[in-house]
Amino acid sequence: METLDSARFSKAEQVPLRTLIDELLQEQQSLSAVERFSQRHAGDIIPAQQKYYRDLIPLSTPGPGEQYAFQVNLDICTGCKACVSGCHSLNGLDEGESWRQVGLLVGSEESEPYQQTVTAACHHCVEPACMHGCPVAAYDKDFSTGIVRHLDDQCIGCQYCVLKCPYDVPKYHAKKGIVRKCDMCQSRLKVGEAPACVQACPTQAIQITIVKSDEIRLASRPAQQMIAGAFDSSYTQPTTRYHSRKSVPGKIRPADAYQLRLEPAHYPLVFMLVLTQLSVGLFAVQIVNSFCSLSGNGAGMTLLALAAALLGVISSTLHLGRPLGAWRAFLGLRRSWLSREILIFGAYVPAAIFYTALQCLPEFIMPMRSSVTWVLIVSLLVFGFSGVFSSVMIYADTQREFWRLSTTTWKFFGTTLILGAAAAALFSPSLLWVGVVIVLLPIKLTLECDIFRHLQDEGTTSLSHTARILQGTLGRLVMLRFGLAALGLGSLGMEMFSGDSLILRGFAFICLLCGEWLERVYFFRAVKAPRMPGMAGN
Amino acid sequence: MKLQVEKVLRQFDGPLTQDLVLEPGKFGLGHIPAKCQPDSTTTTTCGFCSTGCGLTVHLKNGEAINLTPSSHYPVNLGMACPKGWEALTPLAGPDRATTPLWKDIEGVRHSLTWEAAMKTFTSKFKGIQAKYGPESVAFLSTGQIVTEEMAFLGALTKFGMGLIHGDGNTRQCMATAATAYKESFGYDAPPFTYQDFEESDVLVFIGANPCIAHPIMWQRVSRNPHCPEIVVIDPRKTETAMAATQHYAIRPKSDLVLLYGLANRLIENQWIDRGYIAGHTRGYEGFVDHVSSFDSARIVAECDISADDLERLARTIHEGRRVSFWWTMGVNQSHEGTRVAQAIINLALMTGNMGRPGTGANSITGQCNAMGSRLFSNTTNLFGGRDFRNPEHRQVVAHRLGIGVERVPDRNSSAYDQIIEGIDQGKIKGLWIIATNTAHSWIDQNRLNRILDKLEFLVVQDMYHSTETASRADLILPAAGWGEKEGTFINSERRIGLTKKIARAPGQALSDFSIFKLVAEYWGVGCMFREWDSPEAVFQIIKRLSIGQPCDLSGIANYQMLDDCGGVQWPFPSGSQTLATHRRLFEDGRYYHADGRARFVYEQPRSSGEMVCSEYPFLLLTGRGSSAQWHTESRTGKSDILNKLCPTQLWIEINPADAIRLGIQSGQRVRVRSRRGELLGVAHITPTIAAGQVFIPMHYVMTNRLTYAEVDPYSRQPSYKNGAVRVEKAED
């Protein structure tokens, strides 16, 4: 849309000038650098950069008990961050993607003025947590080089390695539905070329060396860390070595230590955890209910419990970037709690289906019905509770403090019992299950409040980090969670006096279910994920 | 069998794996991604900073698909900073201007044809000139376009359109160094070559943070085999100060006093080179007299440095056999920057640290073509570093361009700040801004924006329609950017480097060169510029203009020669025999003053215009935030990788002692107020900044709301590092 009337200008005036505009526009689109200037190095096979990096990579390959490792000379790393860009460009990564990251360490109040840039990529650990956590064996620690390689085509996008790695190395690529990470440019190393970051460092601060695995093991005693701000090395035994001859002030911290960072909510997992726990709890209560010959609609209970199990499992597949590869989940059984959880719930669901069918069809005649029922009851309880336990272990195994074993255990089993009892109360006029909820829920809520004790922590502990998020950014969510729980509790309290009101019980159940969901949302969002030192203001 | 099972169970290969497979590249590139293997490569010069790195562009069908730093280029030796690596990314920005844009009375933008845009441009500007006189239209240019375009703009506006006033954003970075050199050496001539970084045994960095601002120059320092003493004089413990062997965190703005005191110590200790002073300088006696009052006691009192440290510093300079002095914006952006730069030059002269390898008083430049702008933009000085006021100079230029001498104005242009004042006073009504982001980068931004609103017509010529300045424009002319056009840049070490067209400009964007060509035609002066047909044709004109000047580059045959040689440093007069890769000036001790001697220039230090007080108790320092950010970030902000490498929020460095007093913790929101404006940011508490000072990076648009509008009286360069501010915790 033009506001100027070009017709105002005479035709005669326009013609030659129009031609000039067209000519210039056309010229702008022509590219002639190749024709105009001589071509050099066209046939060069030997990399021109080799003269700069020749001394930065080992001459030999690692021997038995040895592996490649990054070595960073902190004294000559001056914060230019070219390693990050170099990795991105030389590896053809997607926009914004790089296997290197750069952070900053700064001095504290009492120290001399101090700052130090810290560059980090994958540490190609001796005991890679990513690999041990992977349910489908999509990680491979190369036997001869020690490089921890990610098999992109094997990955199902469960992102458990992202939770497992304490250095924030594996990065989820949502578009491709998989995780990708640094492979130390193994194809370059194989032919005597330096990895991209080594090639790109203007001051030659990054080097590849050969290290002895035993020495790394020895250097990775509990409470040792690669560098200030890094996670306890004993967990994964990282191989990167940071060297400095400078005196470092006693108290230094990552520049982002105060940053309250929210982690992803992983909603499919939130739903999956709460629903599977509801299912296990409800089946258990139903079994106890019938075992104690209490009144109630047992079939109804089993149907709801089965529905929860199915929804939970379906929800969990929505979490996967490439669910079709999930059949390989048994490959990680030896080390991965996720693999175990998948297999256990995989067995739980058919048991639940058969048990529910038997409960719903009391007239159905089949041989050995009672023994089959017994087998199913035992399977349901064993698979159910061990399934919940493996859920607990998945998170406890990440070494994140907010997810430690004790806390996660009472949270997950608390949800199991509370929601199981609350759901059972919908089908049984007995006040026993209402009473169970009234007793258990306040205990769980009290335990949940315990985190706020850490607001008083000295310095920045990871639990105080979580507590501050729960008090600040996620304050409303936490209020809602406790509000819903109180509402549910209040309804059940009234129910104790008023008798058998399905509306009150139903309302209470929905409040409690939503409350548990919210609790699980901030279970994910408020956890402090360990990572290498980051930058200020990011 | 086992292998078969393993194959089914574990996919070591497949489409996702293939996506990242590396294959041996040709062209000496080593392994590069299989999905972007080039069919040819070509070298170009980076278009961000003045280092002037060579980049090997990977081409497919003539178009750039990737790049790597050039292994063979004499400047960067196979390395680049993150900006260089990402140089192609900003070209694909979603906010590229693709057609001329016209803003109507309601502020709604409409696209125009180039023809309509040119008619508007000429009719509006000619109308203003007819009404208010030829001087009522001015332009603000840049250090980011190629020399050929600068020359064309300078000739077109001053000789063709009758404009008097035009300046560049190089006023914000290099004017001080240029002025200081001109007075001291007789010509704006940075004497060094990058090789000097490797050949010094003492390097003194004053107000410079090359680790972050010029990482590839720091690369050269790190290659120095002489275990050099590295001295950093800077109020902040910067990355460079961390890497130094000596750091003097002096009180901000006490640099001139310190340098005079240092000269005094050298004189009193007889640590001077009498032979050099006698043979190659003038004004030394007066200088000795001048610095005599700068005794140690005064330095200790005024600079926050101990007498021992002062002595150690003097001794370091004395004991160095090859001492080089380097400065950047800490000196240039100061209310008395010219004298500070000259105080550095004086130190080099009196100790005889000039003209030999590893020596020199060396100004590290800012933008990729700051030097091109200083020599050939025809703005505040006439082509080739000449003087508009000098009739002989006007005659020479007119003769070499084949134009009437009456077309050459007989006075110098107003400087940037005077053009802004001119707008405020109603003398300038029309402004043409080319490839710079005034509304972001100029001091005292709130006032600046009020002044820009007074313009009757503002034209902004830029790659992006979204810059703070472009969004104020009445007319936007869409420009092709670096990589979409060709020409030359002149870097910090006087190296003329070639930059090539390796990408297609989006839509109807045209190179600045073509836009100037169009303006010439539509303004009706096209016939004056028939010879100015292509960038390379203009390069030949520039060669002609340089003859007889110290910057003579007439020996460079053509672009092909620049390409073959990895750039050529000036001077390179025709007939030059040697083509050494690294050349420095003044090896013969002859300076450009008529008598061949350098001058000692000095003056009494003055306090800056705004001092801290009880209401505004903090001194605001501004500067580069990270190596991934370039100036107003109109380009670097387009790269996700670069964005990852710098803080996403405006952050404010505060000393822990101040933070405790104010009850501020790292990561908390903080309000900073000056007499001129205020901003909100996030506190970054670090002892690298001294108590009583705060540091805010210049890349955030809010920063210049705070800065105090004061310029050096000689260079007219703004002092970006002396506002008084108040800091307080912001309520959430």
Side-chain angles (χ1 to χ4, degrees):
Chain A
M1 191 177 142
E2 290 185 20
T3 50
L4 292 179
D5 183 8
S6 54
R8 271 192 299 144
F9 306 104
S10 76
K11 268 230 163 96
E13 208 178 299
Q14 274 180 38
V15 171
L17 296 179
R18 268 227 176 273
T19 316
L20 177 64
I21 290 171
D22 293 342
E23 213 174 87
L24 294 175
L25 285 169
Q26 197 186 343
E27 190 187 298
Q28 188 65 52
Q29 296 303 313
S30 77
L31 300 175
S32 56
V34 178
E35 291 88 63
R36 284 187 52 203
F37 299 100
S38 12
Q39 291 302 297
R40 280 183 286 270
H41 318 297
D44 289 9
I45 301 296
I46 296 171
Q49 286 288 98
Q50 205 177 59
K51 56 184 170 184
Y52 304 122
Y53 63 64
R54 197 178 290 136
D55 298 336
L56 303 176
I57 51 174
L59 285 171
S60 55
T61 48
E66 293 180 333
Q67 72 162 87
Y68 285 130
F70 285 115
Q71 180 170 306
V72 177
N73 183 344
L74 293 171
D75 297 342
I76 53 176
C77 168
T78 48
C80 80
K81 304 170 188 173
C83 49
V84 180
S85 290
C87 172
H88 166 77
S89 293
L90 284 174
N91 288 323
L93 304 185
D94 284 355
E95 193 51 30
E97 207 179 18
S98 178
W99 306 152
R100 257 200 187 270
Q101 65 116 38
V102 165
L104 185 70
L105 290 171
V106 293
S108 65
E109 287 83 56
E110 305 86 31
S111 76
E112 279 284 289
Y114 174 85
Q115 61 169 320
Q116 175 66 57
T117 307
V118 181
T119 172
C122 175
H123 302 296
H124 299 281
C125 304
V126 172
E127 292 294 336
C130 53
M131 185 170 92
H132 296 332
C134 182
V136 294
Y139 281 89
D140 182 60
K141 186 164 175 71
D142 189 90
F143 180 72
S144 55
T145 62
I147 290 172
V148 178
R149 194 184 151 199
H150 181 257
L151 312 179
D152 292 356
D153 284 285
Q154 181 78 0
C155 178
I156 57 169
C158 74
Q159 303 156 65
Y160 187 42
C161 52
V162 179
L163 303 186
K164 281 281 284 173
C165 173
Y167 307 109
D168 193 28
V169 166
K171 291 281 184 323
Y172 186 59
H173 190 304
K175 233 179 179 171
K176 296 195 188 294
I178 56 164
V179 154
R180 309 214 277 190
K181 75 175 266 296
C182 161
D183 70 346
M184 211 185 246
C185 295
Q186 53 152 3
S187 54
R188 289 196 172 95
L189 274 175
K190 211 175 278 172
V191 294
E193 290 180 26
C197 51
V198 176
Q199 290 196 31
C201 178
T203 57
Q204 308 194 317
I206 310 173
Q207 243 180 289
I208 302 296
T209 56
I210 293 175
V211 295
K212 290 199 162 47
S213 309
D214 286 343
E215 282 173 17
I216 297 295
R217 279 204 187 91
L218 228 68
S220 305
R221 289 184 305 272
Q224 296 290 315
Q225 47 188 181
M226 275 182 294
I227 190 166
F231 199 73
D232 190 322
S233 292
S234 62
Y235 172 35
T236 66
Q237 304 179 7
T239 63
T240 304
R241 291 191 291 190
Y242 291 95
H243 282 287
S244 175
R245 283 190 195 161
K246 280 188 195 156
S247 68
V248 176
K251 272 178 103 178
I252 50 175
R253 58 170 174 84
D256 64 342
Y258 288 90
Q259 213 102 46
L260 297 181
R261 197 191 311 252
L262 290 180
E263 295 298 320
H266 295 305
Y267 289 108
L269 297 182
V270 166
F271 284 106
M272 175 264 177
L273 286 172
V274 172
L275 288 173
T276 51
Q277 285 156 22
L278 161 64
S279 168
V280 171
L282 187 50
F283 271 123
V285 169
Q286 190 271 346
I287 289 163
V288 172
N289 210 63
S290 65
F291 197 69
C292 302
S293 309
L294 296 172
S295 60
N297 178 357
M301 288 187 205
T302 55
L303 276 174
L304 180 60
L306 177 63
L310 292 174
L311 280 175
V313 170
I314 291 168
S315 174
S316 73
T317 59
L318 296 179
H319 171 71
L320 302 178
R322 296 172 75 226
L324 291 182
W327 64 271
R328 294 193 178 96
F330 65 92
L331 289 173
L333 199 56
R334 213 168 57 80
R335 299 289 300 248
S336 168
W337 280 102
L338 179 55
S339 181
R340 292 168 193 168
E341 188 209 44
I342 294 171
L343 290 189
I344 292 170
F345 278 123
Y348 172 77
V349 170
I353 293 172
F354 287 123
Y355 179 70
T356 306
L358 287 186
Q359 293 298 305
C360 293
L361 304 168
E363 319 301 329
F364 183 68
I365 299 161
M366 60 177 282
M368 297 194 300
R369 180 173 175 123
S370 75
S371 359
V372 170
T373 307
W374 269 109
V375 169
L376 286 172
I377 285 175
V378 172
S379 315
L380 260 185
L381 291 176
V382 169
F383 291 143
F385 281 94
S386 60
V388 174
F389 179 69
S390 43
S391 296
V392 169
M393 286 310 295
I394 285 173
Y395 298 97
D397 200 32
T398 61
Q399 313 290 315
R400 297 179 177 188
E401 268 206 82
F402 186 48
W403 291 353
R404 65 178 173 233
L405 183 60
S406 53
T407 324
T408 313
T409 305
W410 61 250
K411 270 189 184 161
F412 286 13
F413 282 101
T415 305
T416 307
L417 297 180
I418 289 164
L419 289 185
L426 298 173
F427 300 96
S428 163
S430 156
L431 284 178
L432 172 65
W433 303 118
V434 175
V436 167
V437 176
I438 290 179
V439 172
L440 287 182
L441 185 58
I443 299 175
K444 182 166 187 271
L445 294 176
T446 313
L447 287 168
E448 281 176 34
C449 287
D450 184 63
I451 185 71
F452 292 107
R453 212 163 37 88
H454 295 280
L455 287 171
Q456 262 73 47
D457 283 3
E458 286 271 320
T460 49
T461 63
S462 71
L463 289 179
S464 77
H465 175 102
T466 299
R468 279 185 297 141
I469 290 178
L470 292 179
Q471 190 193 33
T473 333
L474 296 183
R476 280 185 173 177
L477 195 83
V478 176
M479 298 272 280
L480 194 59
R481 185 269 177 281
F482 279 89
L484 283 170
L487 217 53
L489 208 53
S491 312
L492 289 180
M494 278 164 64
E495 176 65 8
M496 289 293 272
F497 297 103
S498 71
D500 187 12
S501 158
L502 191 62
I503 294 177
L504 270 179
R505 292 175 184 220
F507 178 70
F509 174 69
I510 289 169
C511 286
L512 295 184
L513 181 65
C514 294
E516 295 306 299
W517 268 327
L518 292 178
E519 178 261 299
R520 217 44 55 89
V521 169
Y522 70 69
F523 173 80
F524 282 104
R525 297 223 76 190
V527 69
K528 162 107 181 185
R531 34 168 62 87
M532 291 298 282
M535 287 186 299
N538 239 351
Chain B
M1 180 64 199
K2 199 182 161 201
L3 269 175
Q4 285 286 321
V5 173
E6 172 89 330
K7 245 187 193 168
V8 175
L9 291 181
R10 292 184 82 194
Q11 287 188 278
F12 276 79
D13 205 353
L16 291 165
T17 308
Q18 284 299 318
D19 186 49
L20 294 181
V21 157
L22 305 176
E23 278 177 2
K26 290 185 291 184
F27 312 103
L29 294 173
H31 272 57
I32 47 174
K35 62 186 171 190
C36 43
Q37 288 279 348
D39 56 25
S40 58
T41 62
T42 196
T43 310
T44 192
T45 311
C46 180
F48 283 106
C49 87
S50 70
T51 309
C53 296
L55 302 173
T56 299
V57 182
H58 307 189
L59 302 157
K60 201 167 199 168
N61 303 321
E63 198 160 11
I65 51 168
N66 201 356
L67 63 76
T68 43
S70 295
S71 310
H72 303 285
Y73 203 72
V75 166
N76 49 319
L77 310 175
M79 301 297 156
C81 79
K83 299 184 289 294
W85 279 99
E86 281 296 285
L88 292 170
T89 313
L91 300 180
D95 52 348
R96 287 295 299 271
T98 52
T99 61
L101 292 167
W102 162 262
K103 193 158 76 179
D104 67 20
I105 300 169
E106 271 109 51
V108 182
R109 279 174 174 178
H110 309 279
S111 45
L112 289 187
T113 62
W114 269 109
E115 166 152 12
M118 283 296 105
K119 302 258 180 193
T120 312
F121 180 97
T122 45
S123 67
K124 282 282 182 184
F125 276 155
K126 281 188 170 180
I128 289 172
Q129 279 186 322
K131 198 164 158 196
Y132 305 103
E135 282 183 49
S136 58
V137 174
F139 68 94
L140 291 173
S141 172
T142 179
Q144 297 289 149
I145 58 177
V146 294
T147 315
E148 292 77 356
E149 291 172 340
M150 289 174 175
F152 200 161
L153 175 67
L156 168 66
T157 49
K158 300 236 168 153
F159 308 151
M161 295 165 68
L163 270 51
I164 303 292
H165 302 303
D167 199 8
N169 62 9
T170 43
R171 182 69 51 191
Q172 292 156 283
C173 69
M174 293 324 303
T176 292
T179 310
Y181 279 140
K182 218 175 274 185
E183 286 181 1
S184 294
F185 294 162
Y187 195 75
D188 174 15
F192 64 101
T193 176
Y194 293 155
Q195 190 63 26
D196 290 323
F197 284 118
E198 299 187 28
E199 297 191 7
S200 295
D201 59 357
V202 176
L203 296 111
V204 184
F205 289 93
I206 303 159
N209 186 11
C211 284
I212 292 304
H214 299 93
I216 299 308
M217 294 197 202
W218 189 259
Q219 171 200 350
R220 305 299 290 268
V221 177
S222 76
R223 287 166 53 96
N224 186 315
H226 310 295
C227 296
E229 276 295 320
I230 300 173
V231 179
V232 169
I233 298 172
D234 196 309
R236 297 164 62 216
K237 186 96 182 175
T238 60
E239 290 80 356
T240 311
M242 283 298 300
T245 55
Q246 301 177 30
H247 172 219
Y248 301 98
I250 60 165
R251 189 182 301 167
K253 302 291 150 219
S254 70
D255 41 8
L256 190 54
V257 174
L258 174 79
L259 294 168
Y260 287 153
L262 199 53
N264 188 32
R265 289 313 307 146
L266 293 168
I267 292 165
E268 286 191 353
N269 290 330
Q270 300 288 316
W271 290 342
I272 52 172
D273 185 338
R274 291 195 176 283
Y276 197 86
I277 295 168
H280 307 290
T281 70
R282 263 175 73 174
Y284 178 65
E285 293 72 24
F287 180 63
V288 172
D289 233 31
H290 171 76
V291 298
S292 62
S293 66
F294 293 83
D295 55 24
S296 295
R298 180 172 175 190
I299 310 309
V300 170
E302 292 185 27
C303 306
D304 292 345
I305 180 175
S306 71
D308 287 347
D309 276 352
L310 178 64
E311 205 61 20
R312 180 175 171 223
L313 178 52
R315 183 175 290 280
T316 305
I317 292 170
H318 166 61
E319 288 175 352
R321 281 173 302 166
R322 296 166 163 194
V323 186
S324 56
F325 300 86
W326 308 86
W327 78 85
T328 317
M329 296 311 147
V331 169
N332 286 348
Q333 294 177 338
S334 161
H335 69 289
E336 51 187 358
T338 305
R339 294 296 176 252
V340 180
Q342 285 161 335
I344 298 169
I345 294 171
N346 295 344
L347 287 178
L349 291 172
M350 68 196 286
T351 54
N353 279 302
M354 286 294 300
R356 291 179 291 116
T359 65
N362 308 326
S363 147
I364 302 172
T365 317
Q367 303 180 75
C368 56
N369 203 17
M371 176 67 76
S373 161
R374 284 147 79 170
L375 295 175
F376 297 109
S377 67
N378 204 35
T379 49
T380 45
N381 58 55
L382 183 58
F383 277 125
R386 295 182 176 88
D387 193 341
F388 279 103
R389 291 166 302 186
N390 184 324
E392 272 174 52
H393 288 182
R394 292 202 297 275
Q395 190 63 52
V396 171
V397 168
H399 175 71
R400 293 201 188 151
L401 293 180
I403 58 170
V405 72
E406 73 288 349
R407 286 226 169 242
V408 184
D410 57 2
R411 52 204 173 101
N412 288 332
S413 160
S414 291
Y416 203 133
D417 67 305
Q418 294 161 325
I419 290 174
I420 303 291
E421 291 310 314
I423 300 169
D424 192 34
Q425 292 158 11
K427 292 179 191 159
I428 291 171
K429 296 285 190 184
L431 187 65
W432 181 13
I433 295 180
I434 299 117
T436 189
N437 194 0
T438 308
H440 180 312
S441 65
W442 192 251
I443 36 173
D444 193 359
Q445 190 181 87
N446 291 338
R447 175 168 182 261
L448 172 89
N449 284 336
R450 286 196 298 273
I451 293 175
L452 287 182
D453 284 340
K454 294 185 177 182
L455 285 167
E456 285 187 13
F457 195 56
L458 173 62
V459 179
V460 173
Q461 182 170 323
D462 204 287
M463 288 170 70
Y464 304 104
H465 60 67
S466 63
T467 71
E468 288 73 16
T469 313
S471 31
R472 309 184 79 87
D474 298 301
L475 178 66
I476 295 175
L477 301 178
W482 171 92
E484 295 164 350
K485 56 187 186 178
E486 65 178 11
T488 58
F489 293 140
I490 311 181
N491 77 354
S492 271
E493 53 164 359
R494 311 179 315 283
R495 185 178 302 277
I496 297 131
L498 184 62
T499 172
K500 295 178 193 164
K501 190 156 127 188
I502 38 89
R504 290 190 174 86
Q508 295 190 40
L510 285 176
S511 69
D512 296 284
F513 193 91
S514 294
I515 297 174
F516 300 145
K517 215 171 182 180
L518 275 183
V519 170
E521 291 301 329
Y522 278 82
W523 198 274
V525 293
C527 54
M528 263 179 84
F529 296 97
R530 287 292 170 251
E531 197 195 339
W532 303 60
D533 185 50
S534 67
E536 191 156 12
V538 173
F539 183 72
Q540 297 298 337
I541 297 174
I542 289 171
K543 279 168 58 182
R544 213 156 69 210
L545 287 165
S546 75
I547 294 172
Q549 291 297 96
C551 66
D552 194 334
L553 44 94
S554 56
I556 304 169
N558 48 25
Y559 281 178
Q560 183 68 56
M561 179 174 170
L562 287 175
D563 197 38
D564 293 341
C565 299
V568 176
Q569 286 172 293
W570 69 257
F572 197 71
S574 58
S576 298
Q577 295 303 315
T578 58
L579 191 66
T581 315
H582 291 285
R583 290 179 293 131
R584 62 187 61 79
L585 300 179
F586 312 126
E587 285 181 319
D588 57 358
R590 281 198 62 78
Y591 293 85
Y592 297 119
H593 283 295
D595 59 5
R597 289 165 179 271
R599 302 286 191 272
F600 281 90
V601 188
Y602 46 86
E603 192 178 329
Q604 282 303 327
R606 296 180 290 115
S607 49
S608 60
E610 189 169 67
M611 308 291 275
V612 294
C613 59
S614 58
E615 203 184 342
Y616 297 98
F618 286 92
L619 184 73
L620 168 68
L621 305 180
T622 64
R624 187 172 306 273
S626 74
S627 63
Q629 290 164 294
W630 179 249
H631 293 183
T632 72
E633 289 209 282
S634 57
R635 278 187 292 162
T636 48
K638 305 293 178 330
S639 157
D640 289 348
I641 277 290
L642 295 181
N643 286 333
K644 256 178 131 161
L645 299 181
C646 59
T648 44
Q649 296 164 297
L650 184 152
W651 94 96
I652 300 157
E653 290 182 13
I654 304 173
N655 181 273
D658 290 329
I660 290 171
R661 202 162 39 77
L662 297 168
I664 297 168
Q665 289 183 338
S666 261
Q668 279 184 342
R669 289 177 61 76
V670 165
R671 186 187 309 276
V672 184
R673 237 187 268 267
S674 79
R675 290 186 176 85
R676 298 156 292 282
E678 63 173 58
L679 58 75
L680 282 171
V682 172
H684 170 41
I685 293 165
T686 166
T688 54
I689 180 99
Q693 301 166 26
V694 291
F695 175 80
I696 303 180
M698 64 177 171
H699 314 287
Y700 303 91
V701 67
M702 290 185 286
T703 306
N704 276 314
R705 289 180 192 171
L706 304 177
T707 46
Y708 176 67
E710 184 175 25
V711 299
D712 174 280
Y714 308 103
S715 68
R716 307 216 67 84
Q717 178 159 351
S719 170
Y720 280 95
K721 306 169 197 304
N722 73 350
V725 296
R726 189 166 66 212
V727 178
E728 56 204 21
K729 202 155 112 180
E731 317 72 44
D732 280 322

